[in-house]
Amino acid sequence: MSAPVPGHWRSVLPHLDTPMPPDLTPPGTGRGGVQVNLPMELVRQSVQQREYWPIPAEVATAYARYRPTPLWRATGFERAIGARVPVYVKYEGGNISGSHKLNTALAQAHYYKKAGIKELVTGTGAGQWGTAMAAACALFGLDCRVFMVDSSLRRKPYRGVLMRMLGARVHSSPSGLTEVAARHRTGTGNSLSLAIGEAVEYAATHEGAAFCIGSGETYSILHQSVIGMEARSQLAALGAEVDAVVGCVGAGSNFGGIALPFHAEARAGGAPAPLLVAAESATAPKLTRGVYAYDKTDATGSGPLEAMYTIGSDYPIPDAHSAGLRFHGAAKLISALRHTGDLAATAVGQPDALAAGRLLTTHETVLPAPESGHALAAAARLATSGTPDGDTVLSARRGVLVCVSGHGYLDLGAYEQLLEGALEDEAPADAALLAAVSGLAPVRPAVPAGAGWPR
């Protein structure tokens, strides 16, 4: 089902019950706040109480190459799971990056180019964000450098090939290029936090370079709002209603993109919002088993501490095929909405996620990324027996909308393990999680603006 490409992004910031807690300066660093190489338009998009932001013409032209993205009622998937209610799929895998990540990559490349930056440097887990950034840089005439989680790059070498085809320089993380990698080399080949930390350090020490991030920042979630805005129009064209919206969560950009426009629409009209369900990996269960505390966003700890649901930035997350979800914390915007009860969360193990992905493949002929399989598994539960969120069981009564955030054509090794019965889960032990967050400062109910390190 087609729909017009939105001319604006829609922000949820005017509809928060309480302001997000401010970022804090880590003790003893003397650093924090906005980095000088972050374009001011991205800063404004992160803090201003403005609901609609015009999409620049150059970005809109690039969007028109692959947007609007498809939405359909997944009747084959419904039959396979025995659904009680309709399930609608919004598919973001049809662009060169294979995921929703291109929506913000194009916007960021535009703003950084206007700010005079020559090279963008980033870290990536599964490689979708790295590919998106490489494509956006190629389109806008910027150099690109990507640090990719070592275990993911070894498992999916063609992600690296595609990035290099687009002109990017690709490094396996931990690399030999940064001090942070030298300090954290042992046992960190699965760490997205380290890959991001390497990118932060490299950008800070090279003239004309800037670090960019694809998922956790408020402005990147804003850029993803095109997903939910399109979906709302497409559902209306079908005469369809849903009372549950689902997306997988690494830090939160595709979930925010599909879900938060529905929240903003409901708040603006004084109506109840649909149930918003964040599906996370059981190997990195920040929203279901983490704490709401101030934590680092990367392994360097050089930036401000952010209020997030976290399992600890130094927690050694087990290797899993949910690479894009293998991040220790949720975005501060997503975390704030979780804290106020505006969204629910459920954890999904990788066997269940990949099994759900296989069902979509066989019954809808769409191969989803393993990350998206987590959202599909949660959607299947909502449409049948219900899915847990703590002591509550969540169910849909009218319909479920699920974001399939990317394709799985470079993840066939994961599906091969599913077919061979070789998939396992390694969920964190309670004691390990407790140890990883024991030194973090909890977010208090009210934090005054400009406050320092909580005491």
Side-chain angles (χ1 to χ4, degrees):
M1 174 61 63
S2 187
V5 179
H8 294 74
W9 295 303
R10 188 172 192 175
S11 174
V12 77
L13 293 182
H15 301 292
L16 299 184
D17 289 330
T18 57
M20 287 188 292
D23 296 347
L24 300 178
T25 302
T29 66
R31 289 174 290 193
V34 176
Q35 296 188 13
V36 294
N37 60 4
L38 184 67
M40 285 308 300
E41 188 68 2
L42 297 181
V43 176
R44 286 190 283 269
Q45 290 172 1
S46 296
V47 299
Q48 287 187 2
Q49 300 295 302
R50 176 179 174 182
E51 187 158 4
Y52 291 99
W53 296 81
I55 299 174
E58 297 90 338
V59 179
T61 298
Y63 279 178
R65 292 187 173 100
Y66 65 96
R67 305 207 71 88
T69 59
L71 179 145
W72 70 94
R73 180 173 174 180
T75 54
F77 184 74
E78 290 172 15
R79 288 192 296 271
I81 63 174
R84 297 175 292 98
V85 297
V87 176
Y88 298 91
V89 167
K90 178 70 166 164
Y91 180 59
E92 291 290 309
N95 62 71
I96 191 169
S97 75
S99 83
H100 71 291
K101 298 285 189 179
L102 194 57
N103 298 326
T104 186
L106 291 166
Q108 291 188 46
H110 165 78
Y111 289 123
Y112 277 104
K113 178 74 176 287
K114 285 186 65 176
I117 295 299
K118 305 299 182 186
E119 179 182 31
L120 288 177
V121 188
T122 196
T124 190
Q128 294 171 338
W129 168 242
T131 307
M133 204 66 250
C137 285
L139 199 61
F140 283 94
L142 297 169
D143 292 332
C144 182
R145 189 177 299 269
V146 179
F147 291 86
M148 184 168 174
V149 171
D150 175 71
S151 63
S152 290
L153 185 56
R154 284 187 284 107
R155 187 177 287 133
K156 290 180 279 192
Y158 293 118
R159 273 286 177 195
V161 173
L162 180 53
M163 287 183 246
R164 298 201 324 267
M165 281 277 289
L166 291 162
R169 296 174 178 85
V170 182
H171 307 286
S172 174
S173 176
S175 71
L177 300 178
T178 64
E179 292 183 10
V180 68
R183 293 197 304 269
H184 295 80
R185 179 169 289 277
T186 304
T188 52
N190 301 321
S191 174
L192 180 54
S193 176
L194 178 58
I196 293 171
E198 290 208 76
V200 169
E201 180 184 322
Y202 188 95
T205 54
H206 288 77
E207 186 71 25
F211 168 72
C212 61
I213 191 72
S215 185
E217 296 304 313
T218 304
Y219 55 80
S220 64
I221 296 174
L222 171 70
H223 302 151
Q224 298 296 351
S225 64
V226 292
I227 305 173
M229 294 173 73
E230 278 183 9
R232 285 179 50 253
S233 297
Q234 290 167 319
L235 289 170
L238 290 171
E241 291 186 25
V242 298
D243 59 341
V245 181
V246 189
C248 61
V249 171
S253 66
N254 96 85
F255 170 74
I258 190 75
L260 297 191
F262 285 85
H263 183 76
E265 181 73 11
R267 286 297 179 91
L275 176 64
L276 310 180
V277 182
E280 62 183 5
S281 168
T283 62
K286 51 265 185 176
L287 290 170
T288 54
R289 297 176 62 194
V291 297
Y292 194 34
Y294 284 97
D295 200 1
K296 300 180 291 185
T297 57
D298 65 82
T300 68
S302 59
L305 298 171
E306 295 185 358
M308 65 177 78
Y309 276 91
T310 178
I311 55 173
S313 56
D314 296 323
Y315 178 76
I317 297 173
D319 190 14
H321 291 293
S322 56
L325 308 187
R326 213 165 53 230
F327 189 59
H328 66 276
K332 59 186 177 183
L333 176 56
I334 301 301
S335 295
L337 288 162
R338 171 67 165 166
H339 193 59
T340 55
D342 290 304
L343 64 88
T346 190
V348 177
Q350 64 175 353
D352 288 344
L354 289 166
R358 186 186 182 195
L359 287 179
L360 194 77
T361 304
T362 55
H363 296 280
E364 299 290 334
T365 64
V366 171
L367 176 67
E371 294 87 349
S372 303
H374 292 71
L376 287 164
R381 294 174 186 171
L382 285 163
T384 54
S385 60
T387 191
D389 181 13
D391 295 330
T392 304
V393 176
L394 310 171
S395 296
R397 294 185 180 136
R398 292 196 303 275
V400 180
L401 170 65
V402 57
C403 183
V404 173
S405 57
H407 71 60
Y409 291 110
L410 295 174
D411 300 283
L412 288 172
Y415 284 106
E416 181 180 31
Q417 283 191 286
L418 172 73
L419 295 174
E420 294 176 350
L423 283 177
E424 296 180 355
D425 264 332
E426 190 179 339
D430 289 339
L433 288 183
L434 182 61
V437 301
S438 61
L440 301 180
V443 179
R444 293 174 179 170
V447 182
W453 180 256
R455 303 185 185 281

